[in-house]
DNA sequence: GTCTATATTCTGATAGAC
DNA sequence: GTCTATCAGAATATAGAC
């Protein structure tokens, strides 16, 4: 009864893709909790249900796994970084952005933590990214903020520091989850907690910028 | 010419105290950059200029060093957590608190990073702290905020989430320093950068809470 | 492509001389 | 109290059978 013939339409690399995805997912969780050195290849392989040697076969070495995880996270970021324009209403644009950031902390907490740990370590593997893609994205946003301010659409607030406030406030719910849980007396953070978080952040940021809440 | 006699008034434990301090300082930097597993006892000993065996002599094992670092950080926190009272003016109290938090990020970035990494790892060594000291401190603050709101001194804003905003915004300058440096085109963060940060955070938070800036 | 067995290096920890 | 020498264990990585 044992059959070695391929079942279903065979696509080369299908197993590979599936295995790589499982390894990537397991590695993200491991790096988030234990850090780069603390996460062992054995634990990653076990969590992904593949032999340890296969992890080396797919990603060459530990650094290969880690950079793959980081690149995957940077890819996810692109989906969050919506493209604002000068013609957008600042209140609506900021609300959308804050909502998206809070939602990212809810749906991808482990990715947020890996990114945060890399930053805390001095971001040695994100230098190119920070100097290239990120620098461009940031400068474009700062220009839009300044245009809004010059047009009198919002208060004169340092755009870079304002962005830091939004990032820090929203990422806090993924990165400092133990403290947040303890503060809210919650075993795990529910949708309602993130809704309350988004509401408060939007409320304070918008009014703090001299903007009216767009829609409740 | 070699002398083995003690020079100066001999105090038992003087060398010990000095060595422990050096080890603690070196360990803080190592844990901040490389995490618990990534920081080796050898590197800590080298940075502290003591033989590796002495680190074990003073702190028993690696976990002993780490918990000593954490306890030292929690001690530093106490100095930042000023005691607000219901009779304080919310604007002045919040300004003081934000200034103190930003100053902590400037003067103790590595301590902030060790604390952040512990949080990102799930805070396994901070459970008692979170449930005891921190819980009490937080509940007292929340009560004060609610009293301010009930007295009409500030807008009705969820106090816990407001505190998260302040923490996230201020700690960001220590924890995400690489990103901040890149954004501000600064090789290292100067006093002026932190002044601008504090100004923006106070500006947005206070106005966002319906408060007038206390003093420029 | 998959997996077992092994080589090599490094780390935490300690024994024991001084 | 201080430090050198060393041990036991674990981790990354690879060789090679299947």
């Amino acid at each position: 009864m044992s059959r070695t013939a391929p079942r279903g339409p065979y696509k080369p690399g299908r197993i590979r893709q599936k295995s790589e995805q499982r390894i990537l997912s397991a590695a993200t969780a491991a790096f988030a909790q234990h850090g780069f050195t603390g996460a062992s290849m054995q634990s990653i392989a076990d969590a992904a249900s593949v032999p340890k040697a296969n992890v080396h076969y797919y990603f060459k070495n530990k650094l290969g796994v880690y950079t793959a995880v980081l690149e995957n996270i940077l890819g996810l970021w692109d989906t969050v970084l919506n493209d604002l324009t000068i013609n957008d209403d600042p209140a609506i644009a900021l609300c959308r952005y804050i909502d998206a950031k809070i939602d990212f902390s809810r749906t991808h907490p482990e990715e947020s933590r890996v990114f945060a740990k890399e930053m805390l370590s001095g971001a040695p593997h994100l230098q190119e990214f920070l100097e290239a893609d990120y620098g461009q994205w940031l400068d474009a946003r700062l220009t839009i903020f300044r245009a809004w301010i010059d047009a009198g659409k919002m208060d004169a607030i340092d755009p870079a520091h304002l962005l830091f406030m939004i990032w820090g406030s929203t990422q806090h719910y993924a990165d400092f989850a133990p403290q947040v849980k303890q503060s809210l007396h919650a075993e795990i953070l529910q949708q309602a907690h993130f809704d309350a978080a988004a509401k408060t952040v939007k409320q304070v940021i918008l009014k703090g910028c001299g903007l009216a809440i767009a829609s409740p």
Side-chain angles (χ1 to χ4, degrees), chain A residues 70-134:
Chain A
L70 276 185
E71 283 172 10
N72 179 55
I73 292 173
L74 295 183
L76 291 174
W77 267 64
D78 276 342
T79 66
V80 178
L81 307 185
N82 47 11
D83 39 355
L84 319 177
T85 74
I86 289 182
N87 296 324
D88 278 333
D89 176 61
I92 295 176
L94 279 182
C95 275
R96 250 204 327 248
Y97 188 57
I98 291 170
D99 279 331
K101 287 283 298 177
I102 289 277
D103 215 52
F104 189 84
S105 285
R106 181 179 64 84
T107 56
H108 298 86
E110 279 164 347
E111 283 81 356
S112 180
R113 283 174 208 140
V114 173
F115 185 82
K117 275 200 171 161
E118 171 69 14
M119 279 288 165
L120 286 163
S121 299
H125 303 99
L126 288 177
Q127 285 303 327
E128 347 54 279
F129 165 73
L130 284 178
E131 293 167 5
D133 304 67
Y134 169 75

Side-chain angles (χ1 to χ4, degrees), chain A residues 68-210:
Chain A
V69 167
L70 276 185
E71 283 172 10
N72 179 55
I73 292 173
L74 295 183
L76 291 174
W77 267 64
D78 276 342
T79 66
V80 178
L81 307 185
N82 47 11
D83 39 355
L84 319 177
T85 74
I86 289 182
N87 296 324
D88 278 333
D89 176 61
I92 295 176
L94 279 182
C95 275
R96 250 204 327 248
Y97 188 57
I98 291 170
D99 279 331
K101 287 283 298 177
I102 289 277
D103 215 52
F104 189 84
S105 285
R106 181 179 64 84
T107 56
H108 298 86
E110 279 164 347
E111 283 81 356
S112 180
R113 283 174 208 140
V114 173
F115 185 82
K117 275 200 171 161
E118 171 69 14
M119 279 288 165
L120 286 163
S121 299
H125 303 99
L126 288 177
Q127 285 303 327
E128 347 54 279
F129 165 73
L130 284 178
E131 293 167 5
D133 304 67
Y134 169 75
Q136 286 187 0
W137 178 87
L138 180 77
D139 285 339
R141 299 318 118 175
L142 297 185
T143 303
I144 294 175
F145 275 108
R146 293 201 196 90
W148 282 339
I149 293 171
D150 291 342
K153 290 184 180 176
M154 61 177 282
D155 291 354
I157 294 167
D158 191 306
H161 291 289
L162 176 59
L163 273 175
F164 298 155
M165 284 194 70
I166 296 175
W167 291 336
S169 298
T170 55
Q171 292 166 6
H172 197 79
Y173 291 88
D175 300 344
F176 285 71
Q179 196 176 17
V180 172
K181 286 180 199 167
Q182 173 66 28
S183 302
L184 301 179
H185 305 289
E187 288 289 331
I188 62 167
L189 295 181
Q190 314 273 2
Q191 178 74 52
H193 296 120
F194 289 96
D195 288 343
K199 181 188 170 188
T200 302
V201 174
K202 287 187 283 186
Q203 183 180 0
V204 173
I205 292 283
L206 262 68
K207 182 166 183 175
C209 292

